[in-house]
C-alpha cells in the first residue's frame, strides 16, 4: 500500500485552466472581483496549497445578481437551439481541457485520476444531452370544452438558478444543472463547495471564454465562493426562483425550509445509505466487483457509495470471504498514480468521522473483519489516507442507520425470501440508490416492483454507484426527492404555462353566465 509522491503535471494543468495563485472567488462572466476573507485550498493528496480564493461578500453577491438578472433578459430571448449551440461549444472546450480538469479534480478532491477524467466526461455527456434537448422543449396541446378555442401548455425559463454543489463531485453536478438550465433559457449562480473552490474557478474560466466568444452578456454564468453563509444569500433571495442543492440531509433540510419560506422551488440531492442485496442466485464474482468498487470508489465519498451489503445466510460466508480477499489487494495512495485504487478522504474532519464510525459500530456490538487505519509515513503526509474497513453489523444499529461519508462497509445477514432483504434495505431514512445481485427473474422483478426498492435508483446486477446521463438522477425520503441530469429533469428549470386562444367572435363564460352588453 505504498503511496507515490510526484507532481503529475498539476502546475501545467492549472496554467492550462487559467488558474494561478489568485485572489479571485466571485465572478460574472470573465470579470473577477471580491472583497471577502481569504480561503485557502489545500490538496488532500499531499497537503500542499493549491491556491487562495476570496470569499464572496454581500456587496459582491449583489453585483453578481445584478449581472445575472440583466443577462437573463437577453438570454431568455435567444432561440433554444441557439442556446444549445453555445452549450455544444462549451462541451467542445471541455473535451480540449479534459485531461487538465480531470487532474485538478483528482488533486483538489482526492479521487483517482480515472474518476476525475470520468467526472469531466459526465460534463461532456450532459452537454451532448442538452444540445439535443434544446430542440425538444415540448409542451402539450389539448381540446378545449369551448367551441372555437384552442388550449396548450408551454414552458418558459425560470430566471436565475442558484446551484450549491458538494466537494465529492466538484464539477459534474454543477454541469448537470447548468447545461440544462442554460438550454432552458436560465442563467446560473454557482456556489461550489468551500473545500474545492479552485475547480469552480477553472470551470468558470472555461464557460466565460465560450460566452465571450459568442458575444453574449456576462452574467449568464456566475460564480460565488465561501461557506454556508454565502449559500444563504441565495436561499433567502427572492430573485432566485430555484435553488439546486447537493450535500448532506442536514444541509438540505435547512435549504428546503428557507426556500419554501419564500415560496421558491428547491431541487435537493442529499444523503444516501445504499445497499446491495445478494441472493442465493447471485453471481459471486460480479457481486464482489460491484460491492468493492461501490464501497471504496472515491474513498467511499459518493452519495451512491455502497454502505450496506445484505447477504442471504446461505451465501454469507462465501461472499464475506471473497470481499475480504479483494480488500487485501487494494492499493492506497496518490490518486494521480493510476496504479492506486483508493485516494485520500477530503480532510481531517472526514478522517475523524471515519474513526468515529468504526468506534461506534464496535460499541453497538458489531465485529470489524477488515481493520481500519489512518495511514502515515512517506506519501501519506496529508493525514487523509485511511484503509477501507468492513464490519459485520445489524441494520438497527444507529451508526448503520446514518450515512458515513468514508470507506466503511457493513455486512448484514438475511434469511428467507427477497422480501425480507427488502425490509432491511428499505429500513433506513435515506432512499437514493439500491441494487440486487441475482440471476432469478422473479427476485429481480420483485425488487423493481411497487413493493420492492423504495429508492430513486434501483439496479439489477450492477452496483449502487454511478449513473448514466440519460436517466433522471435522484432519490426519495431524506435524499430529498430531487431529479437532475437526464429524462425530463429539464422541466424543473422552467415554469409551465397554460394558454387558451379564442378564435371566434363570441366570448362564452363559465357556468353559462351571460352578460347582455
Amino acid at each position: 500500500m505504498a503511496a507515490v509522491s510526484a507532481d503529475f503535471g498539476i502546475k501545467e494543468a492549472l496554467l492550462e485552466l487559467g488558474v494561478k495563485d489568485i485572489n479571485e472567488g466571485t465572478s460574472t462572466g470573465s470579470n473577477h472581483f471580491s472583497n471577502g476573507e481569504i480561503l485557502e485550498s489545500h490538496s488532500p493528496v499531499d497537503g500542499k496549497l493549491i491556491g487562495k480564493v476570496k470569499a464572496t461578500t454581500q456587496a459582491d453577491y449583489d453585483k453578481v445578481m445584478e449581472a445575472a438578472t440583466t443577462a437573463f433578459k437577453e438570454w431568455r430571448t435567444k432561440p433554444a437551439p441557439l442556446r444549445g449551440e453555445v452549450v455544444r461549444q462549451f462541451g467542445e472546450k471541455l473535451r480540449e481541457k479534459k485531461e487538465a480538469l480531470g487532474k485538478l479534480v483528482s488533486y483538489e478532491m482526492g479521487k483517482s485520476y480515472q474518476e476525475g477524467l470520468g467526472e469531466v466526461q459526465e460534463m461532456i455527456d450532459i452537454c451532448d444531452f442538452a444540445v439535443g434537448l434544446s430542440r425538444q422543449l415540448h409542451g402539450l396541446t389539448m381540446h378545449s370544452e369551448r367551441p372555437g378555442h384552442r388550449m396548450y401548455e408551454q414552458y418558459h425559463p425560470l430566471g436565475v438558478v442558484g446551484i450549491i454543489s458538494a466537494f465529492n463531485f466538484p464539477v459534474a453536478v454543477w454541469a448537470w444543472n447548468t447545461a440544462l438550465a442554460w438550454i432552458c433559457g436560465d442563467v446560473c449562480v454557482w456556489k461550489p463547495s468551500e473545500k474545492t473552490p479552485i475547480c469552480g474557478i477553472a470551470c468558470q474560466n472555461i464557460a466565460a471564454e465560450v460566452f465571450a466568444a459568442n458575444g453574449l452578456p456576462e452574467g449568464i454564468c456566475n460564480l460565488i465562493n465561501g461557506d454556508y453563509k454565502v449559500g444563504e444569500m441565495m436561499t433567502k433571495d427572492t430573485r432566485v426562483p430555484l435553488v439546486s442543492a447537493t450535500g448532506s440531509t442536514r444541509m438540505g433540510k435547512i435549504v428546503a425550509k428557507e426556500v419554501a419560506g419564500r415560496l421558491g422551488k428547491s431541487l435537493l440531492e442529499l444523503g444516501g445509505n445504499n445497499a446491495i442485496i445478494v441472493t442465493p442466485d447471485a453471481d459471486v464474482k460480479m457481486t464482489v466487483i460491484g460491492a468493492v468498487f461501490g464501497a471504496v470508489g472515491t474513498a467511499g465519498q459518493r452519495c451512491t457509495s455502497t454502505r450496506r451489503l445484505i447477504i442471504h445466510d446461505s451465501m454469507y460466508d462465501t461472499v464475506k470471504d471473497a470481499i475480504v480477499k479483494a480488500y487485501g489487494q487494494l492499493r492506497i495512495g496518490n490518486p494521480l498514480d493510476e496504479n492506486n485504487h483508493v485516494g485520500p478522504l477530503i480532510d481531517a474532519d472526514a478522517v475523524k468521522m471515519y474513526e468515529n464510525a468504526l468506534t461506534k459500530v464496535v460499541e453497538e456490538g458489531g465485529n470489524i473483519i477488515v481493520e481500519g487505519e489512518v495511514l502515515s509515513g512517506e506519501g501519506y503526509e496529508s493525514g487523509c489516507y485511511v484503509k477501507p474497513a468492513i464490519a459485520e453489523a445489524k441494520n438497527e444499529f444507529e451508526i448503520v442507520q446514518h450515512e458515513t461519508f468514508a470507506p466503511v462497509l457493513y455486512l448484514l445477514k438475511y434469511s428467507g425470501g427477497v422480501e425480507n432483504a427488502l425490509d432491511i434495505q428499505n429500513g433506513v431514512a435515506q432512499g437514493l440508490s439500491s441494487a440486487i445481485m441475482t440471476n432469478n427473474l422473479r427476485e429481480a422483478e420483485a425488487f423493481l416492483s411497487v413493493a420492492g426498492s423504495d429508492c430513486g435508483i434501483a439496479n439489477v446486477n450492477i452496483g449502487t454507484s454511478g449513473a448514466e446521463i440519460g436517466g433522471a438522477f435522484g432519490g426519495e425520503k431524506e435524499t430529498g426527492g430531487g431529479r437532475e441530469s437526464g429524462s425530463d429533469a429539464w422541466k424543473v428549470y422552467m415554469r409551465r404555462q397554460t394558454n387558451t386562444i379564442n378564435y371566434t367572435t363570441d366570448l362564452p363564460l363559465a357556468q353559462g353566465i351571460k352578460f347582455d352588453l
Side-chain angles (χ1 to χ4, degrees):
M1 293 186 294
V4 178
S5 180
D7 183 2
F8 291 96
I10 292 299
K11 292 181 180 178
E12 291 79 6
L14 290 170
L15 288 173
E16 183 177 344
L17 296 167
V19 178
K20 50 189 180 297
D21 190 22
I22 45 179
N23 288 322
E24 300 169 352
T26 302
S27 176
T28 60
S30 58
N31 289 336
H32 299 270
F33 51 85
S34 186
N35 299 302
E37 63 182 12
I38 295 290
L39 303 176
E40 294 186 345
S41 176
H42 292 264
S43 171
V45 174
D46 54 18
K48 294 180 180 178
L49 177 68
I50 305 173
K52 298 177 182 179
V53 176
K54 281 190 175 182
T56 300
T57 65
Q58 184 64 55
D60 299 331
Y61 175 78
D62 288 338
K63 290 180 182 178
V64 167
M65 286 304 302
E66 181 181 356
T69 52
T70 299
F72 171 64
K73 293 176 182 179
E74 178 176 343
W75 181 238
R76 66 183 176 182
T77 65
K78 303 295 183 183
L82 185 149
R83 300 194 295 255
E85 167 58 17
V86 176
V87 172
R88 186 196 67 78
Q89 293 175 30
F90 178 58
E92 288 301 308
K93 280 292 181 184
L94 290 172
R95 285 180 170 88
E96 294 174 16
K97 299 180 183 294
K98 179 179 178 179
E99 182 176 335
L101 187 54
K103 282 185 179 180
L104 176 57
V105 168
S106 177
Y107 189 61
E108 189 172 31
M109 185 269 148
K111 64 176 59 178
S112 74
Y113 177 47
Q114 286 302 317
E115 289 184 271
L117 292 175
E119 186 168 345
V120 181
Q121 186 61 50
E122 285 190 37
M123 302 174 75
I124 295 168
D125 291 344
I126 195 62
C127 287
D128 289 348
F129 181 89
V131 171
L133 190 63
S134 68
R135 294 180 181 270
Q136 301 179 67
L137 300 178
H138 55 78
L140 293 171
T141 60
M142 63 281 291
H143 292 283
S144 172
E145 65 184 31
R146 291 169 287 191
H149 287 62
R150 182 166 68 88
M151 291 181 65
Y152 67 95
E153 292 180 350
Q154 63 177 330
Y155 287 85
H156 293 306
L158 279 173
V160 179
V161 172
I163 302 168
I164 301 172
S165 63
F167 74 86
N168 60 329
F169 280 85
V171 297
V173 172
W174 166 73
W176 288 2
N177 285 274
T178 300
L180 296 189
W182 280 342
I183 62 101
C184 288
D186 300 317
V187 300
C188 297
V189 177
W190 177 28
K191 193 201 87 65
S193 169
E194 62 270 27
K195 299 180 181 182
T196 53
I198 308 302
C199 284
I201 288 176
C203 290
Q204 176 72 7
N205 289 344
I206 296 170
E209 182 181 345
V210 172
F211 281 95
N214 284 273
L216 292 166
E218 296 175 349
I220 296 175
C221 56
N222 305 277
L223 180 73
I224 58 178
N225 261 305
D227 60 15
Y228 72 94
K229 293 188 290 293
V230 176
E232 285 180 347
M233 297 177 190
M234 286 197 296
T235 60
K236 295 179 178 180
D237 193 343
T238 56
R239 295 170 294 182
V240 183
L242 171 65
V243 175
S244 176
T246 302
S248 69
T249 297
R250 181 193 62 80
M251 178 276 292
K253 290 180 177 180
I254 295 170
V255 170
K257 182 178 180 180
E258 193 67 53
V259 176
R262 59 176 176 83
L263 299 182
K265 297 169 64 177
S266 58
L267 191 167
L268 302 175
E269 296 289 357
L270 311 176
N273 195 347
N274 316 297
I276 298 177
I277 295 172
V278 185
T279 81
D281 288 313
D283 183 309
V284 175
K285 181 179 179 181
M286 290 177 62
T287 298
V288 171
I289 293 171
V292 173
F293 177 72
V296 308
T298 322
Q301 296 173 114
R302 292 185 177 203
C303 53
T304 56
S305 290
T306 304
R307 310 290 178 197
R308 299 174 294 146
L309 204 57
I310 305 168
I311 311 168
H312 192 269
D313 54 12
S314 66
M315 298 280 287
Y316 188 82
D317 289 338
T318 299
V319 174
K320 180 178 76 170
D321 291 346
I323 291 283
V324 170
K325 182 179 179 181
Y327 268 53
Q329 301 172 44
L330 294 175
R331 293 187 295 273
I332 306 167
N334 190 317
L336 289 162
D337 182 346
E338 296 182 52
N339 292 313
N340 292 323
H341 300 116
V342 184
L345 293 176
I346 187 66
D347 57 19
D349 288 339
V351 173
K352 184 177 181 180
M353 180 173 58
Y354 159 87
E355 293 179 302
N356 288 343
L358 295 178
T359 299
K360 182 68 173 176
V361 73
V362 172
E363 291 175 350
E364 293 194 68
N367 176 40
I368 295 180
I369 58 175
V370 174
E371 294 286 342
E373 179 187 355
V374 180
L375 302 175
S376 60
E378 184 179 357
Y380 302 126
E381 290 86 355
S382 70
C384 295
Y385 291 88
V386 302
K387 286 180 61 177
I390 303 177
E392 295 178 299
K394 294 182 179 180
N395 205 54
E396 57 266 28
F397 287 1
E398 182 182 0
I399 189 62
V400 177
Q401 288 286 311
H402 291 85
E403 179 185 43
T404 299
F405 227 53
V408 179
L409 177 65
Y410 302 113
L411 303 190
L412 313 174
K413 188 184 295 186
Y414 83 96
S415 58
V418 71
E419 65 276 4
N420 295 333
L422 282 163
D423 286 343
I424 297 171
Q425 180 206 277
N426 296 343
V428 295
Q430 309 84 1
L432 179 52
S433 187
S434 59
I436 188 170
M437 293 293 183
T438 183
N439 289 321
N440 184 310
L441 178 62
R442 289 177 176 173
E443 289 177 335
E445 289 295 338
F447 176 75
L448 300 175
S449 74
V450 66
S453 171
D454 65 2
C455 297
I457 299 169
N459 299 327
V460 176
N461 290 331
I462 62 172
T464 62
S465 62
E468 293 188 32
I469 288 300
F473 180 88
E476 302 302 321
K477 301 191 295 187
E478 287 196 355
T479 301
R483 292 297 185 275
E484 57 193 6
S485 186
S487 186
D488 65 347
W490 61 272
K491 292 181 179 179
V492 76
Y493 303 95
M494 305 195 82
R495 58 182 177 88
R496 185 161 67 175
Q497 184 181 79
T498 301
N499 308 113
T500 305
I501 300 172
N502 178 2
Y503 55 89
T504 73
T505 58
D506 296 322
L507 183 58
L509 303 176
Q511 287 82 44
I513 296 173
K514 294 183 179 180
F515 282 97
D516 295 324
L517 299 177

